[in-house]
Amino acid sequence: MQTELYMLPDLAPVLPELLLAIGALVLVLIGAVAGERATSVVTGISAALLIVAGLVLVVVTPDGTSFHGAFVLDAFGRYMKLLALIGSTFAIVMSVGYARAERFERFEYPILIVLATLGMMLMISATDLISVYLGLELQSLALYVVAAINRDSTKATEAGLKYFVLGALSSGMMLYGMSLVYGFTGNTSFDGIAQAIAGEGRSLGIVFGLVFMMVGFAFKVSAVPFHMWTPDVYEGAPTPVTAFFAAAPKIAAMALFVRVVFTAFEPVAADWQQIVSFIAILSMVLGAFAAIGQSNIKRLMAYSSIGHMGYALVGLAAGSKAGVQGVIIYVSIYLAMTLGAFACILAMRRREGMVEDINELAGLGRTRPMMAFLFAMILFSLAGIPPLAGFFAKFYVFLAAIEANLYALAVIGVLASVVGAYYYLRIVKIMYFDEPSEAFEPMYGELKVVLGASGVFVIFFFLFAGPMVGVAETAARALF
């Protein structure tokens, strides 16, 4: 009995994860017993569960470590988990109207999002190679199923299969990297790895292990050259699933990337900074140029997200506290912009069904003026035009790069932003200057809420930029 009591406080930092795990199991039982009739109930409970987990994380859960140091909750983890929970909650909320209209009501969908979120939260707090892999695979397996959840669509099935095959390949490479790191350091804990590298010096085996691990992380954030799955999966998956893919999993993967390189591989910073700089440049350039020829708006958003992850990696390449702070601010603003953009994409619906061609937005400024205005603001923000939120996101990562003397990286980032602005402005031109096509169906209430919140955040970010930068600085400090 004494041993059990002694173990209980150890689980205090894991309270939100326990809540999600138990809640998901209960929801599976409800769904199994009641079948498809329970879809709306399960959806509502899933969203509530994520909100409660967020409140527990902020109000109740203390900082600390658990599972013999393999799990840590600190200011960085708390903030990134909160972003992941927000992204997942909105992904469930935004799917309600779509599910009803497209006869896509599956009780499994919200449960899989809860399980994927549980995996993300474990990833963000992982401080051991084993806990990293457990969190990553829990998230990935749920995402593979979610991508192919629309069984009646050959596109969705193809997207799920492609994501699964490439995801399994990246997981295998990452595991190989982990085994090399373990073999050369004799440790799986991040602190142990850092101490072993600092004591014995870097070896070729450790550098190879690091490179293979970074392949896995780059795949998860869809950074070039491991981005191949992104456009096809974004296009093929149902639109609410694409909205989810574009938001929460990217944030969790970026948080894991940051924690691993700064905690476990701090002694070989010069090596990983070169790799991160290289994939950041490739991602920014490919994201800027490949999106120009796209006519499908989901594919365009896929290339846009590749580019944005490249900008976020510029902050990571700086290898400093200011750089991490830049990454945190960037992913926070990226989340708001992405959710707003996908609220508009989900509203691209006519009587005969959803449309995805960019030219279908023609004349939106006259048929749906409010939606067009907010969408235009979000697109300007994605392009990085001041004084919108996207400008501040890029400002902080480029500033960190300049402070770290990475002038070439900052210059390439600015030039890629200029090229990327073209395809965002093209959509604005189509909405305001082309002859109107048939009007879309009225926007669902939940999409109006998401778009409104995103629009206010993007337009008025400069009013509350100070507090947010302060919070990001506190979160970044936890890693140093």
Side-chain angles (χ1 to χ4, degrees), residues 96-111:
V96 174
Y98 176 93
R100 214 178 300 119
E102 300 290 312
R103 293 186 174 78
F104 169 68
E105 290 175 305
R106 310 252 197 288
F107 76 85
E108 298 96 332
Y109 172 69
I111 299 173

Side-chain angles (χ1 to χ4, degrees), residues 47 50-51 83-96 109 113 240 243-244 247 335 339 346 446-447 449-451 453-454:
L50 292 169
I51 292 166
L83 289 184
L85 285 165
I86 290 168
S88 301
T89 307
F90 278 120
I92 292 176
V93 169
M94 285 161 70
S95 69
V96 174
Y109 172 69
I113 286 194
F244 176 58
L335 174 67
L339 290 173
L346 279 161
E446 63 272 12
L447 296 181
V449 171
V450 175
L451 178 58
S454 171

Side-chain angles (χ1 to χ4, degrees), residues 357-369:
D357 195 300
I358 291 166
N359 293 318
E360 299 289 347
L361 288 163
L364 191 71
R366 275 170 272 180
T367 56
R368 290 269 183 275

Side-chain angles (χ1 to χ4, degrees), residues 36-208:
E36 297 301 335
R37 294 193 313 275
T39 303
S40 55
V41 175
V42 171
T43 304
I45 296 173
S46 299
L49 196 62
L50 292 169
I51 292 166
V52 172
L55 290 171
V56 168
L57 176 70
V58 174
V59 180
V60 182
T61 316
D63 283 2
T65 58
S66 193
F67 302 115
H68 303 288
F71 179 101
V72 66
L73 183 64
D74 51 16
F76 175 76
R78 195 184 295 272
Y79 185 79
M80 297 305 257
K81 282 182 184 183
L82 199 57
L83 289 184
L85 285 165
I86 290 168
S88 301
T89 307
F90 278 120
I92 292 176
V93 169
M94 285 161 70
S95 69
V96 174
Y98 176 93
R100 214 178 300 119
E102 300 290 312
R103 293 186 174 78
F104 169 68
E105 290 175 305
R106 310 252 197 288
F107 76 85
E108 298 96 332
Y109 172 69
I111 299 173
L112 285 163
I113 286 194
V114 171
L115 287 169
T117 311
L118 172 61
M120 288 176 221
M121 293 174 78
L122 292 174
M123 276 162 63
I124 292 168
S125 279
T127 51
D128 189 286
L129 297 180
I130 295 166
S131 55
V132 165
Y133 193 70
L134 282 172
L136 204 79
E137 285 306 297
L138 177 57
Q139 179 224 34
S140 298
L141 290 169
L143 294 185
Y144 300 149
V145 181
V146 162
I149 198 163
N150 189 2
R151 294 186 292 271
D152 304 329
S153 162
T154 48
K155 260 186 169 181
T157 310
E158 186 189 326
L161 192 62
K162 191 170 283 187
Y163 189 29
F164 170 67
V165 170
L166 291 170
L169 176 69
S170 82
S171 290
M173 291 173 90
M174 191 172 68
L175 264 184
Y176 179 60
M178 287 177 174
S179 65
L180 281 173
V181 170
Y182 173 64
F184 280 90
T185 62
N187 279 284
T188 56
S189 77
F190 291 179
D191 289 343
I193 292 166
Q195 284 166 13
I197 297 171
E200 297 163 25
R202 69 188 270 282
S203 65
L204 197 59
I206 287 167
V207 173
F208 265 98

Side-chain angles (χ1 to χ4, degrees), residues 326-414:
V327 173
I328 294 167
I329 294 167
Y330 201 100
V331 294
S332 308
I333 293 170
Y334 169 77
L335 174 67
M337 297 189 297
T338 302
L339 290 173
F342 273 98
C344 293
I345 294 167
L346 279 161
M348 290 172 64
R349 193 175 55 84
R350 298 207 175 96
R351 268 191 298 275
E352 61 274 16
M354 299 289 293
V355 290
E356 292 174 8
D357 195 300
I358 291 166
N359 293 318
E360 299 289 347
L361 288 163
L364 191 71
R366 275 170 272 180
T367 56
R368 290 269 183 275
M370 198 62 200
M371 175 181 161
F373 171 72
L374 291 174
F375 195 19
M377 289 301 109
I378 288 164
L379 290 167
F380 283 139
S381 180
L382 284 164
I385 292 169
L388 302 170
F391 166 75
F392 291 96
K394 287 178 180 168
F395 172 76
Y396 282 106
V397 290
F398 292 156
L399 190 66
I402 289 164
E403 284 175 7
N405 298 323
L406 299 173
Y407 302 114
L409 193 57
V411 169
I412 292 167
V414 172

